[in-house]
Amino acid sequence: MFYGTELSSRLMLGTAQYPSPSVLRAAIAASGAQVITVSLRREGQAGGEFREIMAQSGCRILPNTAGCHSAREAVTTAQMARELFGTDWIKLEVIGHADSLQPDPFALVEAARILSAEGFKVFPYTTEDLIVGERLIEAGCRVLMPWGAPIGSGQGLRHRAALAAMRAHFPDIPLVIDAGIGAPSQAMAAMEMGFDAVLLNTAVARALDPVAMARAFGQAVSAGQLAHIAGLMPPRDMAQASTPIFGMAELV
């Protein structure tokens, strides 16, 4: 449940870097995603065919403030995105480090507070830092989107213990792993840990077969969610026979 909206798919898909509009269209359909992200810059560079794909996808549009490096820039971009896409949902990115693309926590909280006061439903791209998460919730966010690893790195869940701690610390807040996911197995692992969704782009868009990879991620996210609900077997220090000894034949 994200700001009162319930989704059947827990995969959110980015729309950048695909080899062609037709591949993007097919990948969205194959993924089963119900939320797709798009940046204002991408929309400005794309033509009518891109807008047509967005409209025909049947997905909810989640505009983002990708490329913004200050709270003021992010707020302005979000305001423009709301006018263009007709939605108060916004994925808030405020980049603070050029190499890692790590978010600036101070500018992020500032922008989140301003946008929440203006009625935006803010999806903040953040780290696994618990204090930053607390401040974002105080600013009005009802969703947190911690990174798995730096954007486009494909490293997966780089700090699993910290992410597990975040999940435990915010049991009632929807948490979406955003960025760094490079393989379906990594997305499945995030869902097995109890995260509510996974957002990714590069791993699908840059695959040899983006459509097949989109389908693989959709299935992996569903499988991981089902496994979490079913209850994963806890690890043991010692072996435990699955077949009982009682009733076995005795050889004499």
Side-chain angles (χ1 to χ4, degrees):
M1 183 80 69
F2 300 102
Y3 291 105
T5 299
E6 190 159 357
L7 304 170
S8 58
S9 172
R10 302 303 182 98
L11 176 63
M12 301 180 178
L13 196 63
T15 57
Q17 306 181 54
Y18 287 82
S20 70
S22 62
V23 171
L24 171 59
R25 188 194 308 269
I28 293 172
S31 72
Q34 291 179 293
V35 175
I36 52 178
T37 65
V38 58
S39 73
L40 192 66
R41 289 173 172 81
R42 166 68 171 161
E43 168 66 19
Q45 295 169 356
E49 187 174 7
F50 180 74
R51 288 190 291 272
E52 182 181 347
I53 292 172
M54 300 298 100
Q56 293 179 353
S57 69
C59 296
R60 180 130 193 177
I61 305 299
L62 178 60
N64 66 46
T65 61
C68 293
H69 293 265
S70 69
R72 180 178 180 181
E73 185 182 11
V75 168
T76 300
T77 301
Q79 292 167 339
M80 294 171 65
R82 179 160 62 179
E83 291 295 322
L84 181 60
F85 296 107
T87 179
D88 55 8
W89 280 25
I90 191 73
K91 177 189 169 185
L92 180 61
E93 295 183 32
V94 186
I95 301 302
H97 190 264
D99 293 334
S100 67
L101 300 182
Q102 180 171 330
D104 179 336
F106 307 102
L108 184 67
V109 171
E110 179 185 354
R113 183 174 292 110
I114 294 170
L115 292 174
S116 294
E118 293 184 3
F120 281 90
K121 308 298 189 295
V122 180
F123 293 69
Y125 165 62
T126 183
T127 66
E128 61 279 289
D129 188 287
L130 301 182
I131 305 304
V132 176
E134 292 277 12
R135 296 296 179 267
L136 288 167
I137 293 170
E138 291 171 4
C141 298
R142 296 296 174 261
V143 178
L144 298 175
M145 302 181 73
W147 64 352
I151 295 172
S153 69
Q155 296 177 20
L157 307 179
R158 189 168 63 166
H159 299 140
R160 290 183 64 116
L163 289 169
M166 190 175 201
R167 177 69 284 178
H169 189 71
F170 298 106
D172 301 320
I173 298 294
L175 299 181
V176 181
I177 292 293
D178 178 15
I181 298 296
S185 58
Q186 297 167 355
M188 183 184 295
M191 299 304 295
E192 288 176 348
M193 291 173 65
F195 285 87
D196 297 279
V198 173
L199 194 158
L200 55 95
N201 188 165
T202 307
V204 170
R206 293 292 183 89
L208 294 177
D209 186 340
V211 178
M213 187 62 77
R215 183 175 297 108
F217 269 106
Q219 293 174 355
V221 167
S222 295
Q225 181 193 11
L226 183 60
H228 176 71
I229 293 172
L232 294 169
M233 173 183 171
R236 298 189 180 102
D237 293 331
M238 301 288 290
Q240 180 174 330
S242 57
T243 303
I245 298 176
F246 178 76
M248 293 182 65
E250 293 185 15
L251 301 178
V252 295

